[in-house]
Amino acid sequence: MATAREPEYRDGHGFIAEVIRTRRSKTADIRVEDGAVSVVVPLNTPAEKIDQLLVTKRRWIKEKIALQQEATPVRAKRYVSGEAFSYLGRNYRLKVEAGNFAPVKLVNGRLVVTVPGGAQQPHVIRNALVRWYKRQAEQKLLEKVTRYAPMVGAHPAGVGVRSFKSRWGSCTAKGAVEFNWQIMMAPTRMVDYVVVHELCHLIRHDHSQAFWREVERVMPDYQQCREWLRENAAKLVFESP
């Protein structure tokens, strides 16, 4: 079994870019999602070439980040130490430290973010947290799909994590299930419901009574979960600084 690579980051001077190395990529591809920048490159691309690409595309990247920040409602979050962030229904306090950019860590009940400039760069802190939530989503949702798929009797072609504006998950035409990473802010039981819901769509592609019977067979309390998500959806939004 291949070992997971350590997260790799490059300083874009105003943003931090996550480097994703893959054998499947022949050329470099820059992505800006939820204000977070990533660069997908062939496996052995030198760091110097990545830095050069970021310099070349810097204006485009900054424009993309600005547009995404404008599209996200401005709320109360300031991304400073002491603020609370929900993860699987439990609140964790943010601790911001100044230093070389490092992946977010959950330590002693605190979300520790280390970025150059510390609290002086709230958008960089937000982007670091977004990356952390997405990584947790990739791991936890795969675990939950593996657990519930045999109960549902469904066999998804794959499991993905995406950014959705108004839904918690979906099924692709190829039979894969995809989930909104922001569901990781909800309590665990709500995450379970979303997983079961999408797996049941692999059997029933509508919201007929037969579909809901499939959901109820695995989760008798699904109606309470559905109602909780309906009432609390507005709170499960990753706010802009």
Side-chain angles (χ1 to χ4, degrees):
M1 182 181 294
T3 56
R5 283 177 170 266
E6 285 295 314
E8 181 182 351
Y9 303 97
R10 306 302 299 176
D11 188 349
H13 302 288
F15 60 88
I16 300 294
E18 180 178 13
V19 179
I20 302 171
R21 298 180 182 272
T22 172
R23 290 186 176 87
R24 291 173 292 181
S25 181
K26 301 293 185 184
T27 57
D29 178 30
I30 297 177
R31 301 171 185 173
V32 183
E33 296 178 336
D34 301 302
V37 183
S38 58
V39 189
V40 183
V41 295
L43 210 56
N44 296 317
T45 305
E48 294 77 11
K49 188 172 182 179
I50 296 171
D51 289 340
Q52 184 179 11
L53 177 64
L54 292 175
V55 169
T56 303
K57 294 291 186 179
R58 187 172 187 275
R59 182 175 178 179
W60 177 85
I61 293 169
K62 297 282 283 184
E63 287 174 353
K64 278 281 190 181
I65 293 172
L67 284 172
Q68 291 181 11
Q69 287 176 340
E70 289 173 10
T72 306
V74 177
R75 298 173 188 263
K77 290 291 186 189
R78 294 183 296 141
Y79 295 90
V80 295
S81 292
E83 283 186 319
F85 290 83
S86 180
Y87 172 59
L88 294 179
R90 179 181 172 186
N91 281 335
Y92 294 90
R93 294 291 175 182
L94 179 65
K95 183 178 181 183
V96 179
E97 297 179 344
N100 293 331
F101 189 89
V104 175
K105 294 184 176 69
L106 183 55
V107 182
N108 297 326
R110 291 184 177 272
L111 285 168
V112 181
V113 181
T114 306
V115 296
Q120 302 304 312
Q121 299 193 69
H123 63 287
V124 176
I125 296 167
R126 178 189 183 276
N127 294 350
L129 287 167
V130 167
R131 287 193 180 96
W132 184 82
Y133 274 93
K134 286 183 175 181
R135 286 188 182 278
Q136 302 310 306
E138 288 168 358
Q139 176 187 338
K140 296 293 184 183
L141 289 166
L142 178 58
E143 290 174 359
K144 289 181 181 295
V145 168
T146 302
R147 174 188 172 192
Y148 281 107
M151 300 183 197
V152 173
H155 304 284
V159 180
V161 171
R162 287 188 53 194
S163 298
F164 291 109
K165 288 186 177 179
S166 59
R167 53 183 173 173
W168 298 116
S170 72
C171 291
T172 71
K174 294 182 179 180
V177 287
E178 297 180 330
F179 300 98
N180 185 339
W181 61 270
Q182 294 187 98
I183 192 61
M184 300 309 291
M185 288 185 276
T188 297
R189 190 61 175 167
M190 310 309 148
V191 183
D192 291 343
Y193 161 69
V194 170
V195 168
V196 170
H197 185 115
E198 295 308 327
L199 288 172
C200 286
H201 272 314
L202 295 175
I203 300 172
R204 300 279 181 178
H205 301 287
D206 52 25
H207 285 105
S208 63
Q209 288 185 348
F211 166 79
W212 290 114
R213 282 196 296 270
E214 291 291 342
V215 176
E216 187 175 29
R217 178 174 59 83
V218 180
M219 288 193 74
D221 62 337
Y222 83 89
Q223 288 182 328
Q224 293 97 304
C225 298
R226 188 184 180 198
E227 189 63 28
W228 190 96
L229 283 172
R230 187 178 292 145
E231 292 176 357
N232 292 276
K235 299 176 184 177
L236 306 179
V237 175
F238 220 82
E239 303 162 347
S240 288

